[in-house]
Amino acid sequence: MTSCIICGRPIQEEHRFCRYHQNAYEELRKMFDRWEKAYGSMQWHDYLEGVLKAEGTGIWVAEVIEAIKKEYVP
Amino acid sequence: MMSTDFNARRRKLSKVMIISEKPTAARRIAEALDQNGNLRETKSKSASYFECERNGDTLIVAYALGHLFELRQTEKGWTYPRFETEWVPKYEVDKKASKIEPIINLIRKLAKDADSFVVATDFDIEGSLIGYLTLKYGCRVNPDNAKRMIFSTLTKKELEHAYENLSQQLDFPMIEAGHARHEIDWLYGINLTRALTLSVKKAAGWFRIVSTGRVQGPTLAFLAENDQKIKKFVPIPFWVISAKAGHNGKELELEYHKKRLDLKEDAQRIADELQGRDLRVESILSKKQKQTAPIPFNLSGLQSESYRYFGFKPSRTLSIAQKLYLDALISYPRTNSQKLPLGIDLREILEELRETAYRQYAMNILSRGIPEPVQGPKDDPAHPAIYPTGKKPERRLTPSEFKVYDLVVRRFLGLFYEPSIKEFLRANLKADDHLFYLRGMKIIREGWIVVYGPYVKNNERTLPSIKEGDSFKITSIAADNRYSAPPAHYNPSSLLKLLEKKGLGTKATRASIVDSAQSRGYTLASSFELSSLGYALYETLESHVPAILSAEFTRNLETEMEHIQEGTGDREKALSLAKRELDEILRAFREHEDEIGEDLVKGLQGYWQASEEIGPCPKCGVGTLSIIKSPKTGKRFIGCSQYKEEKCDQTFPLPQKGRIIPLEKQCPYCSHQMIKVISSRRVWETCINWAVCPGRQEDLKTLHQKREKSSGYSEEEEK
């Protein structure tokens, strides 16, 4: 795959998304620790749901979450 | 000595030609300088000039219409690079500037009979350049021999003073700076825009202007960087303790001493521990704070305040302030200064304001012997801060003009008032280690707020009558979940401030740079969120010619131009630096022209698609609704993409004028998609189903009635 599954832009080398969505994905991963600490404990899936529902979540972050959720649908 | 020689020589001469910047200013100058009550306006085709007598001389006051001359490339061809330019009449490069030709012809004719020349254009780099070019290419005289009228208001007194105390030569450093700025901006704007536009043409065969410029590039980068921060933002949860407590039958909101708690567990524990507990007033602290009046307005200060209170874009505020200046109601608005120098006759202004609606404030200041006004830190050698002249308006001001005028007058009057004194009270309420605050604020002395009050938020909050030892019972308490907020999108005012902070553009050009980001489609109309076209341009430039986006790169040129204005720089040096750097950029551009073109074409296609697509079709549920122009009638409407396959015939009518922007919301009455319509007169929101939407029939009826009334047409008459 050479283009981002979300927006069609070219993907970054060794990455899953385009530069913007990849940045959003990395930001999402980085903030997991903060959420986990804030809530005491947290599962990755609950974290994604929480970020998706939170006010102020960036559109690229929301798109990345939707894409991840689709990937993991059994 | 020079002045005496000139005045002596002038007395012998018969005709003095004065060049002003605009017709209104020319009339004001002629009215002010006329000593015999014999002011004449002579019309010649669609131009005119004013004539009057003073000190035995005949004064001919002619006017420009802003710039009469513009730069044009000397080599032919709509291509790049084009580095060599010449000044030509504006109508030769701009077909719309047809009014300029009779003005230049008249100036040329009048100059033949004139014995001396005085430039009376605005005293800034643009005004000085306009005066210089008009003398050189319009009057065809040597600008070295011309004199300069310098003024900051168009009042009779100041204009007479400026004429009687002419500067013996033109302000050449300012002219050189204006010259350099025009040439450098022309070189960048023309060459870069052509490079972008031609790359699109090469890639797709279309001719679609894609513009950028020396300051527009970095502006686009600021917008893109901020937009990215917002779009990749992950909010962080935190908790606040929301508590209410009862006291003497009243329920009061309390503030927990920690504004935010990072851990849910901590927040919940605090809320649980304090449920139903009593709090005791441990202490009541009071702090008085003096606040001096806000400093005098410079242009960006006025634009910022005007946006905050009236929602006026910086360009609109500038245009209104310019009208007020031409009406001699306020001083010259394109100023950086936040100071009112000693030379201004404050008594006279206040005495004039005493005869207006601001009487009580002017009287108060006069009765106190005109205290020293508050001054700001910034200075501008050319003009003082913006202040009212005190003159009564000769015409009825429009509501918008009145708003800006009132703001200027009240800000000016407030400068002479005492500081306001506010008392901040804080009661500390405690239960074990938990501390709550109950806050109050009252104004002890209004000071300047008396006059500037309409533009001050009143945060006064009474603290209930309590004393130390009083008890409060918590009636409700909860740990509320909140999230950190993303950075805000820029608005016209904050973007203008950023450009000023970064030292990009001038006070006269920043407002139009801010407007151009939206008008060129690089940002969405409702905000400064970057559009798909904005992203396409940003990404293309970033990967192939990043220098165009670099603020650092253009700031060097700004510094060079500032040095020229200060008299320490050299225009030729700045110009050759600009050409050299631009040449490098254009070479890099040429190398990547094909990729740049392809990337921009993709961006343009996405942008057009996004701006024409409304949303899914509510009838067939398969097709997409988009804006279509009828090839037969030329009228636009909304239609379904399934129409061509004859699978869906859904259409909706559209207003024929104005820009249509699809909105991401549904009509509360009929659930159809909402759109925004932006016409030159107004902006409004409606749904695509507006013609039959049950919630909009009343509005439609009123609109029909209005139209009938204004056209004098009614259905009865037709019958």
Side-chain angles (χ1 to χ4, degrees):
Chain A
M1 200 193 329
T2 54
S3 58
C4 177
I5 52 163
I6 299 169
C7 65
R9 285 187 175 95
I11 56 165
Q12 302 280 91
E13 212 173 299
E14 294 176 15
H15 287 142
R16 305 170 64 184
F17 305 110
C18 70
R19 54 189 277 210
Y20 300 125
H21 287 105
Q22 185 64 32
N23 269 342
Y25 175 63
E26 280 161 18
E27 201 67 18
L28 186 67
R29 286 183 62 113
K30 204 166 81 186
M31 292 303 160
F32 177 62
D33 286 352
R34 300 277 296 271
W35 276 63
E36 199 179 27
K37 197 178 162 198
Y39 281 100
S41 68
M42 188 165 236
Q43 296 296 312
W44 174 249
H45 177 264
D46 295 333
Y47 167 61
L48 295 185
E49 288 298 332
V51 174
L52 204 54
K53 282 181 195 157
E55 205 177 309
T57 295
I59 180 82
W60 291 337
V61 176
E63 286 168 348
V64 165
I65 295 174
E66 294 292 358
I68 296 172
K69 279 168 69 181
K70 268 185 204 164
E71 275 178 18
Y72 289 99
V73 167
Chain B
M1 195 64 193
M2 280 284 281
S3 174
T4 319
D5 286 349
F6 174 72
N7 287 332
R9 197 169 74 243
R10 211 181 61 200
R11 250 172 245 121
K12 286 182 222 155
L13 302 175
S14 58
K15 275 194 178 175
V16 181
M17 185 163 169
I18 301 175
I19 312 284
S20 81
E21 197 162 323
K22 290 189 173 67
T24 323
R27 178 183 286 278
R28 290 219 170 266
I29 291 167
E31 279 171 356
L33 301 183
D34 173 32
Q35 282 179 327
N36 300 345
N38 188 23
L39 173 70
R40 283 97 62 200
E41 182 179 7
T42 306
K43 297 202 171 171
S44 168
K45 293 186 181 166
S46 56
S48 72
Y49 67 94
F50 299 91
E51 199 172 348
C52 63
E53 277 77 39
R54 187 175 183 88
N55 302 335
D57 292 337
T58 299
L59 308 187
I60 305 290
V61 188
Y63 54 80
L65 269 184
H67 277 282
L68 297 179
F69 297 89
E70 283 291 347
L71 288 166
R72 182 175 69 183
Q73 64 192 45
T74 50
E75 273 179 278
K76 283 192 176 171
W78 208 92
T79 183
Y80 69 95
R82 286 291 179 261
F83 286 157
E84 302 311 316
T85 57
E86 60 183 345
W87 289 99
V88 294
K90 195 175 177 181
Y91 56 84
E92 288 186 18
V93 287
D94 179 2
K95 283 177 192 165
K96 287 182 198 158
S98 57
K99 285 181 184 169
I100 300 288
E101 190 168 8
I103 292 174
I104 293 179
N105 290 341
L106 179 62
I107 285 176
R108 204 157 276 167
K109 191 175 145 198
L110 293 169
K112 283 180 186 162
D113 294 333
D115 299 299
S116 64
F117 294 85
V118 173
V119 169
T121 50
D122 294 342
F123 190 60
D124 59 15
I125 56 173
E126 286 302 323
S128 294
L129 184 63
I130 290 169
Y132 174 86
L133 295 172
T134 306
L135 284 175
K136 190 169 178 184
Y137 301 111
C139 301
R140 289 177 172 156
V141 296
N142 183 357
D144 289 349
N145 301 325
K147 314 294 171 202
R148 185 72 160 106
M149 266 175 86
I150 299 171
F151 48 87
S152 290
T153 68
L154 288 171
T155 56
K156 182 174 171 61
K157 188 178 170 187
E158 190 162 345
L159 290 171
E160 281 189 309
H161 180 267
Y163 187 74
E164 295 303 334
N165 297 276
L166 289 171
S167 171
Q168 294 308 297
Q169 61 170 20
L170 301 186
D171 33 294
F172 285 104
M174 205 125 75
I175 292 165
E176 285 290 283
H179 218 137
R181 195 171 280 281
H182 261 263
E183 285 178 314
I184 291 171
D185 286 349
W186 185 95
L187 285 170
Y188 277 74
I190 292 288
N191 282 293
L192 296 176
T193 299
R194 284 181 186 177
L196 291 169
T197 306
L198 291 171
S199 73
V200 169
K201 192 169 182 238
K202 199 173 168 191
W206 318 322
F207 185 81
R208 204 281 193 187
I209 295 279
V210 182
S211 79
T212 189
R214 191 177 59 81
V215 184
Q216 283 172 49
T219 307
L220 179 68
F222 295 143
L223 290 168
E225 283 155 17
N226 193 51
D227 198 66
Q228 288 173 39
K229 280 184 199 159
I230 297 168
K231 286 180 173 155
K232 66 169 193 182
F233 184 76
V234 178
I236 303 295
F238 66 92
W239 286 263
V240 293
I241 301 293
S242 304
K244 284 181 181 169
H247 179 71
N248 286 346
K250 272 188 183 175
E251 198 171 52
L252 301 162
E253 256 183 54
L254 303 177
E255 181 188 322
Y256 192 65
H257 75 286
K258 283 184 185 167
K259 280 196 172 165
R260 54 183 279 177
L261 295 149
D262 292 335
L263 307 182
K264 186 184 178 186
E265 194 186 355
D266 289 352
Q268 199 54 57
R269 183 177 41 79
I270 293 166
D272 292 344
E273 273 177 28
L274 289 166
Q275 208 70 250
R277 291 278 301 270
D278 285 331
L279 299 167
R280 190 175 159 274
V281 178
E282 195 161 75
S283 56
I284 301 171
L285 307 174
S286 148
K287 195 170 81 178
K288 283 184 186 156
Q289 204 176 66
K290 256 190 190 181
Q291 196 180 2
T292 49
I295 57 175
F297 277 135
N298 60 7
L299 178 60
S300 66
L302 176 64
Q303 285 170 319
S304 162
E305 199 85 326
S306 179
Y307 180 76
R308 186 182 314 163
Y309 288 101
F310 316 131
F312 292 173
K313 282 196 298 186
S315 55
R316 186 173 175 196
T317 301
L318 175 58
S319 150
I320 292 172
Q322 178 73 19
K323 276 188 199 158
L324 296 173
Y325 163 71
L326 288 171
D327 278 354
L329 296 176
I330 65 168
S331 62
Y332 190 61
R334 287 188 181 91
T335 176
N336 275 333
S337 175
Q338 296 167 328
K339 291 183 192 296
L340 292 176
L342 289 172
I344 297 172
D345 193 341
L346 298 172
R347 175 168 293 280
E348 190 179 328
I349 295 169
L350 290 163
E351 279 171 356
E352 296 231 36
L353 285 173
R354 198 169 54 182
E355 307 306 318
T356 68
Y358 305 99
R359 179 185 169 81
Q360 53 166 320
Y361 311 117
M363 294 258 287
N364 175 300
I365 298 165
L366 286 164
S367 71
R368 289 186 285 120
I370 314 180
E372 278 283 303
V374 171
Q375 305 276 12
K378 287 186 186 166
D379 210 349
D380 184 334
H383 294 282
I386 304 168
Y387 63 91
T389 61
K391 238 174 128 289
K392 269 188 190 166
E394 289 166 3
R395 61 180 175 90
R396 197 184 171 88
L397 298 181
T398 64
S400 305
E401 286 169 348
F402 179 75
K403 281 177 181 169
V404 175
Y405 178 68
D406 187 62
L407 195 59
V408 170
V409 177
R410 287 182 184 274
R411 176 67 78 112
F412 170 77
L413 291 168
L415 302 172
F416 302 93
Y417 273 73
E418 292 174 307
S420 65
I421 300 177
K422 290 175 180 174
E423 185 181 29
F424 293 90
L425 296 161
R426 194 184 82 189
N428 292 340
L429 286 74
K430 252 187 143 179
D432 300 334
D433 291 337
H434 299 292
L435 179 63
F436 284 88
Y437 301 138
L438 192 58
R439 292 183 192 271
M441 191 278 279
K442 66 177 174 186
I443 296 172
I444 306 279
R445 184 175 75 194
E446 281 200 299
W448 57 272
I449 295 176
V450 168
V451 49
Y452 203 61
Y455 308 110
V456 180
K457 274 186 192 156
N458 186 358
N459 296 327
E460 222 168 352
R461 204 169 32 166
T462 319
L463 195 67
S465 166
I466 52 171
K467 58 182 188 306
E468 284 178 22
D470 278 2
S471 180
F472 281 64
K473 188 167 189 64
I474 291 180
T475 51
S476 72
I477 188 161
D480 286 345
N481 188 190
R482 304 273 163 84
Y483 298 96
S484 57
H489 276 293
Y490 286 114
N491 61 42
S493 173
S494 59
L495 184 58
L496 186 124
K497 271 188 187 165
L498 180 77
L499 293 180
E500 190 182 11
K501 193 175 145 198
K502 300 274 181 188
L504 299 178
T506 68
K507 50 190 178 278
T509 59
R510 285 182 200 119
S512 61
I513 292 164
V514 168
D515 281 357
S516 70
Q518 283 186 334
S519 65
R520 287 176 181 155
Y522 301 153
T523 59
L524 300 179
S526 54
S527 67
F528 277 89
E529 187 183 340
L530 223 58
S531 68
S532 52
L533 179 59
Y535 263 108
L537 182 58
Y538 171 71
E539 287 165 11
T540 309
L541 296 178
E542 194 192 28
S543 54
H544 302 297
V545 271
I548 299 177
L549 299 172
S550 160
E552 201 53 51
F553 167 75
T554 199
R555 198 178 297 115
N556 294 338
L557 288 173
E558 291 282 352
T559 310
E560 284 293 324
M561 287 185 275
E562 278 163 23
H563 289 159
I564 297 169
Q565 194 169 340
E566 287 156 8
T568 55
D570 178 53
R571 176 162 67 93
E572 289 304 328
K573 194 180 139 202
L575 203 57
S576 77
L577 170 74
K579 283 181 185 174
R580 202 167 52 240
E581 289 184 334
L582 180 61
D583 194 37
E584 275 176 34
I585 291 175
L586 293 173
R587 277 174 203 275
F589 200 103
R590 192 69 92 179
E591 272 178 36
H592 301 282
E593 199 176 37
D594 293 345
E595 297 122 280
I596 292 172
E598 280 163 24
D599 289 350
L600 285 176
V601 166
K602 273 185 219 157
L604 277 165
Q605 283 169 331
Y607 172 69
W608 287 331
Q609 196 181 352
S611 52
E612 282 168 10
E613 271 183 16
I614 301 290
C617 175
K619 191 173 179 183
C620 67
V622 181
T624 304
L625 293 179
S626 53
I627 301 169
I628 299 166
K629 204 167 190 180
S630 161
K632 279 187 190 168
T633 62
K635 289 191 172 177
R636 65 181 178 184
F637 62 97
I638 292 172
C640 177
S641 57
Q642 294 276 302
Y643 175 77
K644 280 182 188 166
E645 288 90 47
E646 295 183 0
K647 287 179 184 166
C648 183
D649 59 357
Q650 178 72 67
T651 58
F652 294 98
L654 275 176
Q656 293 304 308
K657 284 181 184 168
R659 198 146 60 97
I660 307 285
I661 295 167
L663 299 172
E664 282 181 13
K665 56 183 177 183
Q666 267 67 43
C667 174
Y669 309 112
C670 67
S671 302
H672 278 81
Q673 174 95 31
M674 294 287 288
I675 51 170
K676 185 185 268 189
V677 187
I678 304 175
S679 72
S680 55
R681 283 189 180 177
R682 65 190 187 115
V683 177
W684 80 99
E685 288 183 7
T686 186
C687 65
I688 55 172
N689 190 36
W690 58 276
V692 291
C693 173
R696 299 180 196 279
Q697 294 315 300
E698 273 303 306
D699 290 349
L700 274 177
K701 207 172 150 188
T702 318
L703 186 69
H704 282 307
Q705 281 167 351
K706 262 190 190 171
R707 281 187 183 158
E708 280 169 10
K709 214 174 172 183
S710 63
S711 64
Y713 165 90
S714 77
E715 284 179 5
E716 266 68 38
E717 276 172 11
E718 195 185 41
K719 282 172 195 166

